[in-house]
Amino acid sequence: MAKEVIMPALGMAQETGELLRWFVEEGATVKAGEPLMEVATDKVDETIVATASGVLAGVLAKAGDDVPVGQVIAYILAEGESVPAAKVSKKAPVESAPPPQEKAAPSPQPPSGSGAVTVSPVAARMAAEHGVDLAAIPAKGGRIQKEDVAAYLESQQSAAAPGKVLASPKARRLAEEKGVELSTINGSGPDGAVLAADVEAWQPAAVVQPLPTTVAAQAAGAEIPMSRGWQVMAQRLTESWTSVPHFYLVREVDAGALQVWRTQALARSDVKITVSDLLVKVTAVALSRHPRVNASWINGKIVGNPSVNLGLAVAVDDGLLVPVLHNAEGLGLREIAAQRIGLVERAQSGKLAMTDLSGGTFTISNLGMFGVDAFNAIVNPPQAAILAVGKIADRVVAVDGQPAVRPMLTLTLSCDHRVVDGARAARFLDELAGLIEDPLRALE
Amino acid sequence: MSSPNPTISHSVAAPGVRQLTFGQAINEAIAEEMRRDPLIFVVGEDVAEAGTPFKVLLGLVDEFGPERIIDSPISEAGIAGIGVGAAMTGMRPIVDIMFGDFTTLVMDQMVNQAAKIHYMSGGKLKVPMVLRTTMGASRRSAAQHSQSLHAWLSHVPGLKVAIPATPYDAKGLMKAAIRDENPVVIYEDKLSYPIKGPVPEEDYIIPLGVAEVKRTGEDITLVATSSMVYVALSAAEKLAEIGISAEVVDPRTTAPLDAETLIASAKKTSRVIVIDEGYQEYGVTGEMASVIADGAFYWLDAPVKRMGAMHVPIPFSPALEDRTIPTAEQVVEMAKMLCGRN
């Protein structure tokens, strides 16, 4: 088998050796123990003898080459042997050691391209400590000073901070599993770091964000944390559902006139008026004409309310809020729209005041925008009734004995039977339906 | 150590199981093994009539005679060398180094001879010896007699290191060490000698490299060794009162280390404190914390914390000495912080 000739290690810390000369030419015969080559290290020049007898072949290093210790530089072949082909091709040509100036530690250099700018030693050290390229630092004077580096670092920090989300490894893993963007989660850990519990408590925002197409599987039996708001909602609605004797009146109304009204009102208004705003207006009118439906059940008594304070059910991240439009019977359409916009914004950003939430005498819940045709709402105590509004959809209806396609809207009125009976509620709903189908009746 | 609870509920504890002290359990383990195998002998300073300054070996010289319980001069390097040589020639020596601080004197015998000979002889020689020594502060013994240096020998491949916390573990690990074909070092906490616990009469061993969950919990893992097991258990009691459920895991040996059990517990609780009486810097806690952080990284909800001895020579002054070693109160505070309860 071909005997390898390697660059020997002659010192403990030696990494390379310089080949000074071969004593034997390639193709010549050498005997074991005879001088083969001369090698120089930092300390000594040494003659290396052949470790086998044969023909020197496959020489890869020439005199003057600096070769890593242990690298094969030739072979000694016995009769009939050849240089191992695979090994020859693997060995890269021996390279000379890099010139010494490349090894030297880089010293602070003035920024390239601005030969006039120099750097103070402190600034150079600061820049090196923070891994900042000096060329990127603007110098106030002709020289980069400590203050320049500090200012640059500060600007970099404030620029970088918002993008960086602190989170524990477990929180990161859970967020990835749930498909949640970490930056959307409020962290409760040190420096606002997102912890596992924060990810577990995260709920998709009901209104602002579209629902995820797939629901990450909850671990069986795992508790989903509730916010304080959700707990209040759960408790209040349970109280209502278990103590208020509900009944429901359903009525289909033609929303054609409402849509025409909205188009005209929009054209005249600088505020974006919605169908909900029109419904608030006509409901307020209907309630002022049927004060019993605007009354409350308080401590076993029916209590009348002097004004119409209309609650609007608003979906928020953690449940349901019902901000109130106070004295709605006296408000014009643009005032209703402006107040409604403010209330919904404050509800969704969690900035509602107590006065925004209290004093409601009647509630409108509109799920039309979610494509719901009709639904039964739960009465919001101590109020007497709540109006559930579905979507406006084109339907085939009989008009004057002929089938016609009309934009129809289904209203469902849920009532507390302790305050209103079916007939009273029906008269109110009839008034409301009339106002929707012929809004001019509001002026009567 | 802040007054450890002198009893510990153990998984093998059963009605009728007798109670032995930690010291008695060591004594019994050695005596039973010496009766079984005449090749076993003990050599060390004050091991015979004195039965060691901690009275752990009391009575052994009466049963086995001064030929097998050998009092040596003050010559740690010498007796360790005798142990290594005797083990290489077929004996099963138990070398007694009175204070763990003095293992500095046996380093060459342990690190370069005992740990290497099996490897360097191509498996032809073996060193089935046990080196018994002590660890632990809080005995007012000052800086040269109070250190816990078990990290040093745990660092060296070829040595096994056991650090028992309970009487049950002490007997089982001692027997495993004596029967092991490799050099094994046992560190006994000096304050643990009077601690009582259940020790069954029947013969048993605890395999080297198997951790034990000393208390199960859900919210945080306290990995604790030797004397710190009692600190951790006491902290777990206090944490339970404020609704934090702590799991206490005792590795029982630092080499080999039962990484699997440590990582499994960390994955379960997502928070870990590693508590050890050795110096914190470059110590046992650092190694274990790193193993846990590596294996359980994506399950961790807080950084893995270490608690070890303060980086000072252990003071003689009681008031100062007590501040150098982790206490249950400090563990509770750290655990509350990691659980976001501060």
Side-chain angles (χ1 to χ4, degrees):
Chain A
M1 205 180 131
K3 183 81 182 172
E4 294 175 345
V5 177
I6 62 166
M7 174 57 69
L10 302 172
M12 291 279 280
Q14 184 191 341
E15 291 179 359
T16 61
E18 185 189 352
L19 180 65
L20 292 176
R21 59 176 164 144
W22 291 103
F23 291 113
V24 180
E25 282 182 12
E26 185 162 15
T29 306
V30 64
K31 278 191 184 153
E34 285 181 353
L36 178 64
M37 58 182 175
E38 192 175 21
V39 170
T41 69
D42 296 344
K43 293 172 187 159
V44 293
D45 296 349
E46 190 151 328
T47 299
I48 308 298
V49 298
T51 55
S53 300
V55 176
L56 185 68
V59 173
L60 293 164
K62 59 183 188 303
D65 283 346
D66 207 21
V67 182
V69 162
Q71 183 161 319
V72 177
I73 52 175
Y75 295 89
I76 295 173
L77 305 179
E79 231 181 276
E81 287 180 337
S82 58
V83 176
K87 296 197 173 175
V88 172
S89 60
K90 264 191 201 167
K91 297 295 173 194
V94 179
E95 286 175 11
S96 302
Q101 62 266 29
E102 284 184 26
K103 277 185 183 169
S107 54
Q109 298 285 325
S112 54
S114 54
V117 179
T118 56
V119 186
S120 84
V122 176
R125 197 199 66 206
M126 280 176 70
E129 280 172 355
H130 292 89
V132 175
D133 182 5
L134 282 165
I137 301 175
K140 281 210 187 79
R143 180 178 155 89
I144 298 178
Q145 306 254 18
K146 188 173 91 178
E147 294 77 8
D148 299 323
V149 183
Y152 177 80
L153 287 174
E154 200 172 352
S155 70
Q156 290 301 105
Q157 245 171 17
S158 52
K164 177 109 176 163
V165 179
L166 297 179
S168 80
K170 185 180 181 185
R172 284 185 193 278
R173 180 175 58 85
L174 290 176
E176 198 177 318
E177 285 169 6
K178 292 179 85 169
V180 179
E181 190 65 39
L182 272 174
S183 56
T184 63
I185 302 174
N186 289 326
S188 66
D191 297 325
V194 177
L195 301 183
D198 303 324
V199 180
E200 278 155 5
W202 180 86
Q203 299 276 337
V207 173
V208 184
Q209 290 193 337
L211 288 171
T213 49
T214 56
V215 176
Q218 287 283 339
E223 186 185 330
I224 299 168
M226 286 184 288
S227 68
R228 177 81 195 124
W230 192 275
Q231 289 171 24
V232 169
M233 180 188 75
Q235 182 243 321
R236 287 192 53 136
L237 290 178
T238 302
E239 204 177 286
S240 169
W241 187 249
T242 53
S243 67
V244 174
H246 281 70
F247 71 92
Y248 310 94
L249 302 182
V250 184
R251 174 125 181 198
E252 277 202 329
V253 295
D254 186 327
L258 206 63
Q259 287 183 325
V260 172
W261 182 18
R262 178 170 182 243
T263 311
Q264 292 171 348
L266 264 179
R268 289 190 293 266
S269 170
D270 51 348
V271 186
K272 194 185 171 201
I273 289 166
T274 65
V275 170
S276 288
D277 298 328
L278 304 181
L279 286 172
V280 166
K281 177 71 188 164
V282 293
T283 304
V285 172
L287 284 169
S288 58
R289 293 175 187 176
H290 297 264
R292 188 63 170 263
V293 183
N294 195 48
S296 301
W297 180 262
I298 296 171
N299 296 329
K301 295 187 174 70
I302 299 171
V303 180
N305 291 302
S307 58
V308 176
N309 299 331
L310 268 185
L312 301 172
V314 176
V316 292
D317 277 11
D318 58 351
L320 179 69
L321 286 174
V322 188
V324 177
L325 278 164
H326 291 269
N327 307 309
E329 77 279 14
L331 296 177
L333 200 50
R334 272 182 292 278
E335 289 169 298
I336 288 170
Q339 285 197 25
R340 187 258 313 155
I341 288 166
L343 285 172
V344 171
E345 269 178 14
R346 292 206 291 283
Q348 283 171 348
S349 59
K351 288 174 181 159
L352 285 174
M354 268 316 288
T355 50
D356 289 332
L357 288 165
S358 55
T361 58
F362 186 91
T363 298
I364 298 175
S365 182
N366 186 349
L367 290 179
M369 62 285 253
F370 293 108
V372 172
D373 290 320
F375 65 103
N376 299 342
I378 298 173
V379 168
N380 187 13
Q383 298 168 18
I386 180 169
L387 183 71
V389 181
K391 71 171 176 187
I392 297 172
D394 285 345
R395 298 197 193 285
V396 180
V397 292
V399 177
D400 299 331
Q402 293 295 319
V405 175
R406 300 293 305 160
M408 301 302 289
L409 171 65
T410 304
L411 303 175
T412 308
L413 186 70
S414 311
C415 302
D416 182 344
H417 212 309
R418 296 171 302 184
V419 185
V420 291
D421 56 6
R424 282 188 169 84
R427 285 198 287 274
F428 164 75
L429 195 55
D430 186 58
E431 179 86 44
L432 185 60
L435 286 162
I436 288 169
E437 290 180 343
D438 183 6
L440 280 175
R441 289 195 198 181
L443 301 173
E444 288 170 2
Chain B
M1 189 161 56
S2 62
S3 60
N5 184 347
T7 60
I8 179 170
S9 62
H10 199 281
S11 53
V12 302
V17 173
R18 73 209 162 113
Q19 300 274 316
L20 290 188
T21 66
F22 189 96
Q24 286 166 338
I26 299 265
N27 183 301
E28 192 173 86
I30 293 172
E32 285 176 12
E33 291 301 296
M34 288 185 75
R35 280 174 214 132
R36 184 184 58 75
D37 186 348
L39 296 176
I40 300 169
F41 69 95
V42 175
V43 59
E45 296 157 18
D46 275 345
V47 295
E49 271 70 25
T52 80
F54 310 105
K55 306 301 170 199
V56 174
L57 303 185
L58 217 54
L60 292 187
V61 70
D62 301 329
E63 181 177 351
F64 301 104
E67 299 80 18
R68 293 184 69 193
I69 307 291
I70 305 167
D71 264 338
S72 75
I74 297 176
S75 52
E76 283 82 2
I79 56 178
I82 288 168
V84 176
M88 285 166 64
T89 53
M91 299 296 284
R92 301 189 82 88
I94 300 172
V95 175
D96 187 299
I97 301 295
M98 197 183 290
F99 285 89
D101 311 72
F102 308 157
T103 54
T104 51
L105 295 161
V106 305
M107 278 295 162
D108 183 64
Q109 292 301 341
M110 295 308 294
V111 173
N112 288 325
Q113 311 308 328
K116 304 291 194 289
I117 282 163
H118 185 70
Y119 176 79
M120 294 189 77
S121 69
K124 291 192 177 70
L125 295 170
K126 58 188 183 184
V127 185
M129 72 177 276
V130 173
L131 187 119
R132 275 188 67 228
T133 190
T134 57
M135 59 176 280
S138 310
R139 282 189 77 253
R140 320 315 179 201
S141 305
Q144 296 162 322
H145 297 75
S146 301
Q147 299 169 95
S148 301
L149 299 178
H150 45 298
W152 293 25
L153 289 170
S154 307
H155 184 62
V156 176
L159 297 178
K160 297 181 180 179
V161 178
I163 40 171
T166 66
Y168 176 86
D169 290 349
K171 185 176 176 186
L173 290 169
M174 178 58 78
K175 286 197 159 203
I178 291 170
R179 294 179 197 183
D180 203 284
E181 296 299 322
N182 303 286
V184 181
V185 186
I186 293 208
Y187 285 88
E188 301 160 13
D189 172 52
K190 298 185 281 278
L191 277 193
S192 295
Y193 285 131
I195 290 177
K196 277 192 170 178
V199 179
E201 297 196 33
E202 64 267 20
D203 183 45
Y204 68 93
I205 67 156
I206 294 171
L208 302 170
V210 179
E212 189 188 47
V213 177
K214 291 280 200 270
R215 175 187 174 115
T216 58
E218 301 297 326
D219 300 326
I220 188 166
T221 296
L222 308 176
V223 175
T225 62
S226 185
S227 53
M228 293 297 110
V229 169
Y230 298 98
V231 168
L233 287 169
S234 167
E237 281 296 320
K238 293 181 167 75
L239 288 167
E241 289 165 16
I242 56 169
I244 294 175
S245 163
E247 179 150 303
V248 177
V249 181
D250 175 6
R252 299 202 288 203
T253 55
T254 50
L257 178 65
D258 183 357
E260 204 179 313
T261 300
L262 267 53
I263 291 166
S265 179
K267 284 184 174 180
K268 184 174 87 166
T269 63
S270 79
R271 301 174 190 94
V272 183
I273 307 173
V274 186
I275 313 151
D276 178 80
E277 205 182 325
Y279 297 125
Q280 182 172 304
E281 275 79 353
Y282 299 94
V284 162
T285 55
E287 174 65 17
M288 291 182 188
S290 172
V291 163
I292 291 165
D294 188 39
F297 186 78
Y298 294 104
W299 282 260
L300 290 175
D301 207 21
V304 180
K305 290 290 183 182
R306 298 180 291 152
M307 297 180 82
M310 205 180 275
H311 205 58
V312 294
I314 310 286
F316 173 70
S317 152
L320 293 178
E321 182 179 26
D322 290 345
R323 297 186 69 94
T324 63
I325 302 301
T327 63
E329 291 70 26
Q330 289 166 347
V331 174
V332 166
E333 284 312 305
M334 181 74 85
K336 281 165 67 182
M337 190 193 80
L338 292 183
C339 294
R341 294 284 292 275
N342 271 16

